[in-house]
Amino acid sequence: MIIGVPKEIKNSENRVGLVPAGVMALVQAGHRVLVERSAGLGSGITDEEYTRAGAEIVDSHEEVYGRADMVVKVKEPLPAEYPLFREGQILFTYLHLAADAPLTKCLVEKGVVAIAYETVTAPDGSLPLLTPMSEVAGRMAVQIGARLLEKHSGGAGLLLGGVPGVPPASVVIVGGGVVGTNAAKIAVGMGARVTILDISAERLRYLDDVFQGRVETLMSNTYNLADAVKGADLLIGAVLIPGARAPRLVTEEMIKAMKPGSVVVDVAIDQGGCIATIDRVTTHAEPTYIKHGVVHYSVANIPGAVPRTSTFALTNVTLPYILEVANKGYLRAIQDNPCLAAGVNVIDGKVTCKGVAEAVGIPFYDLREVL
């Protein structure tokens, strides 16, 4: 199989879909790997390193897409890439289709085999290819929020951990999954007062045990959420429904009740966001806007700010699946591996992820029936 690795073109996105070790593993398995020139530079990986690992360096996006049987990326394709797809081509990347109807429709029309990192599901229900980027985004959300609370960034002028005699800032995290747990680790470590809300009593018990009482846990309901948001200096949205659009749990009225100079970081923006006042996707170049006196941060590729860490963390977990698809072909691979099958969002012009189909208004087909 020919595997293509294009350079990411999303604003300030410096991650890359394969590292040299992955290239070497694929080449040793008998495959060919095409890497677009300079694709790895943002992550500190040179073309020479890829060449030594056995890759062929090509000069353009068009050549990568034109020759590759499988395209391995990091972020969802942008409109400029839509014309490059072809029928039967495998696209393996983060897709977040529930929040992107135009891309979904394009993949359907083009007959692309679209496998989404974020819906590959392990037997225990975990999301192994989403987890490392959720860890990065959760940890970064707190350091970003701490910076935005500084006065020159538009914040209230608070030090997250306070100092002796001055109370710390209040960090409220909506969602106790991987993002929320990692955000809490950093916030607690910085000395903040931390509250986590989740709908699962079992998850709250786990978090209370893990943090040994250093975080306050609250059952997530409208009453508790409104009360917690009102007192938050930093609010982090960390809600995920795999494959589906994120629910808008934090209302505009809740945001209006926050103190001037408070900060909102919505990590769920990739899936449409869980905070009502997050009405646009921002970029690393222009990451924030102010609404109702509250600083809003809604960058859709938070881990792209630390591409070296993020690229290696991501490719550590994606490579075994990439190898499986390359070695077996996509049809045999998804038949043999239920985890990988859960990642198939579009195949043969049909949407096979229920959450995506419902979000974009396209008919849903059961993958087993399609195959």
Side-chain angles (χ1 to χ4, degrees):
M1 186 177 285
I2 300 175
I3 296 93
V5 182
K7 185 174 182 178
E8 299 293 326
I9 60 173
K10 191 178 183 75
N11 182 283
S12 302
E13 181 53 74
N14 289 295
R15 289 173 289 179
V16 64
L18 275 177
V19 296
V23 170
M24 182 174 289
L26 285 161
V27 171
Q28 288 176 341
H31 308 291
R32 297 174 62 193
V33 181
L34 313 177
V35 177
E36 185 176 351
R37 190 173 303 280
S38 303
L41 289 183
S43 293
I45 304 169
T46 65
D47 291 341
E48 289 73 20
E49 289 177 271
Y50 280 120
T51 301
R52 286 198 299 271
E56 177 185 346
I57 303 299
V58 299
D59 290 320
S60 69
H61 238 48
E62 290 75 12
E63 188 171 0
V64 171
Y65 279 91
R67 293 174 58 191
D69 302 307
M70 174 165 58
V71 175
V72 174
K73 292 179 82 282
V74 177
K75 289 303 291 178
E76 68 281 351
L78 298 183
E81 295 169 284
Y82 295 1
L84 304 179
F85 299 139
R86 66 177 191 273
E87 185 175 356
Q89 189 170 51
I90 306 162
L91 175 64
F92 201 6
T93 186
Y94 287 119
L95 287 170
H96 302 292
L97 295 180
D100 197 339
L103 175 57
T104 306
K105 292 172 182 175
C106 175
L107 295 173
V108 168
E109 291 168 2
K110 293 277 191 174
V112 174
V113 179
I115 307 174
Y117 291 158
E118 72 273 10
T119 61
V120 171
T121 307
D124 64 358
S126 64
L127 305 170
L129 307 193
L130 185 61
T131 294
M133 295 303 93
S134 295
E135 291 169 337
V136 172
R139 294 176 186 217
M140 285 194 64
V142 177
Q143 68 182 50
I144 290 165
R147 187 176 70 248
L148 294 177
L149 278 170
E150 296 172 8
K151 195 68 175 179
H152 65 85
S153 297
L158 294 176
L159 180 64
L160 203 65
V163 293
V166 181
S170 172
V171 177
V172 173
I173 302 168
V174 184
V178 177
V179 170
T181 301
N182 279 271
K185 286 180 182 179
I186 303 303
V188 167
M190 294 178 75
R193 188 170 68 252
V194 181
T195 302
I196 304 176
L197 296 99
D198 199 275
I199 59 172
S200 167
E202 182 180 354
R203 185 65 183 178
L204 294 177
R205 290 189 188 98
Y206 167 80
L207 292 169
D208 182 70
D209 183 47
V210 166
F211 287 103
Q212 299 181 339
R214 291 177 294 169
V215 303
E216 179 181 357
T217 57
L218 281 176
M219 182 59 66
S220 186
N221 55 51
T222 302
Y223 183 90
N224 285 344
L225 193 57
D227 188 57
V229 169
K230 183 178 180 179
D233 298 304
L234 170 59
L235 174 65
I236 297 175
V239 176
L240 173 71
I241 299 177
R245 190 177 181 91
R248 291 295 181 96
L249 299 180
V250 179
T251 67
E252 187 162 6
E253 291 305 311
M254 293 178 190
I255 297 297
K256 286 180 179 179
M258 295 180 76
K259 294 164 286 189
S262 299
V263 174
V264 171
V265 177
D266 196 344
V267 184
I269 189 61
D270 271 340
Q271 294 290 122
C274 63
I275 296 166
T277 47
I278 295 289
D279 55 11
R280 72 197 79 165
V281 177
T282 61
T283 67
H284 288 292
E286 296 183 27
T288 64
Y289 61 93
I290 295 176
K291 192 168 186 177
H292 304 310
V294 175
V295 181
H296 288 62
Y297 179 100
S298 53
V299 173
N301 59 328
I302 293 175
V306 286
R308 180 78 178 182
T309 297
S310 297
T311 287
F312 282 87
L314 177 61
T315 56
N316 282 342
V317 294
T318 58
L319 181 60
Y321 293 92
I322 293 167
L323 274 165
E324 187 170 3
V325 174
N327 290 339
K328 296 180 177 180
Y330 73 85
L331 189 59
R332 175 71 182 278
I334 60 182
Q335 288 173 332
D336 287 353
N337 189 339
C339 305
L340 186 62
V344 179
N345 281 207
V346 179
I347 189 170
D348 292 341
K350 298 178 175 65
V351 175
T352 55
C353 177
K354 191 171 185 180
V356 170
E358 291 174 347
V360 302
I362 289 178
F364 164 73
Y365 295 86
D366 187 285
L367 179 62
R368 292 168 295 184
E369 297 175 2
V370 174
L371 297 181

